Amino acid sequence: MSSAKSALKTLTPDLRDPLVQATSAVCETSFFAFTEPAAPAVLEQIPGEELWFHSSVTFTGPMSGRVTVCVPVGLARELFGAFLGFDENDTYNTAELHDMVGEFGNMVCGTWLTSLGRDRCFDLAHPEVAVAGLPAPDADAIVLAVNDRPVVVRAELE
């Protein structure tokens, strides 16, 4: 019996590059964050005990799969504040932060799929958000520096 992971394919460059561009566009236009490519080795500099939000959005349509965006908790708080116009003295609860990270993943997935062809129609599932440790670096992961902190993006196709 095969696992769900083994049934998923990794991205070809013609799909991977637009995902990088979509992630950068969402960070820069919606969250007012500076984005640049980063080497996967940057993840080795992150303390293992640091918590990360993992937002996964499953999509179906002309192609089906899942986009996962992983953001360290500290950066998620910063992005949330920028998105809503909060300052460092404003408070918000964990549920609001989960919702924002889910929306971030949804925006990345939707922007990417839209960039692949406006005449295509996709259905996006509600984002699933979990808090876990550092995402495992691998050859399929896209690592970006967002405000000088790593964000990991991965898309897998069925």
Side-chain angles (χ1 to χ4, degrees):
M1 179 196 279
S2 66
S3 69
K5 178 71 176 166
S6 64
L8 297 175
K9 299 179 282 190
T10 58
L11 296 182
T12 57
D14 63 319
L15 295 175
R16 185 180 173 91
D17 293 344
L19 181 56
V20 171
Q21 293 167 358
T23 305
S24 294
V26 168
C27 289
E28 293 171 0
T29 60
S30 296
F31 294 91
F32 313 103
F34 177 75
T35 307
E36 62 184 345
V42 74
L43 296 174
E44 296 169 8
Q45 302 169 10
I46 306 298
E49 65 276 1
E50 184 169 352
L51 293 177
W52 289 63
F53 283 104
H54 298 244
S55 172
S56 293
V57 178
T58 301
F59 60 91
T60 56
M63 63 181 184
S64 298
R66 173 180 61 231
V67 171
T68 303
V69 179
C70 303
V71 182
V73 170
L75 178 58
R77 290 181 192 282
E78 182 180 318
L79 295 176
F80 181 76
F83 188 69
L84 293 179
F86 285 8
D87 66 31
E88 65 266 2
N89 297 324
D90 289 326
T91 59
Y92 40 88
N93 64 45
T94 303
E96 292 172 322
L97 195 54
H98 271 85
D99 287 348
M100 190 284 304
V101 172
E103 181 57 22
F104 179 56
N106 192 49
M107 292 167 74
V108 168
C109 184
T111 301
W112 174 57
L113 294 173
T114 299
S115 76
L116 298 178
R118 296 192 181 275
D119 58 339
R120 298 179 183 180
C121 184
F122 290 91
D123 290 317
L124 277 61
H126 189 273
E128 296 178 16
V129 179
V131 178
L134 182 69
D138 61 52
D140 299 325
I142 295 167
V143 181
L144 297 170
V146 177
N147 289 352
D148 295 324
R149 284 181 270 176
V151 168
V152 178
V153 182
R154 182 179 288 108
E156 300 161 305
L157 302 177
E158 294 179 354

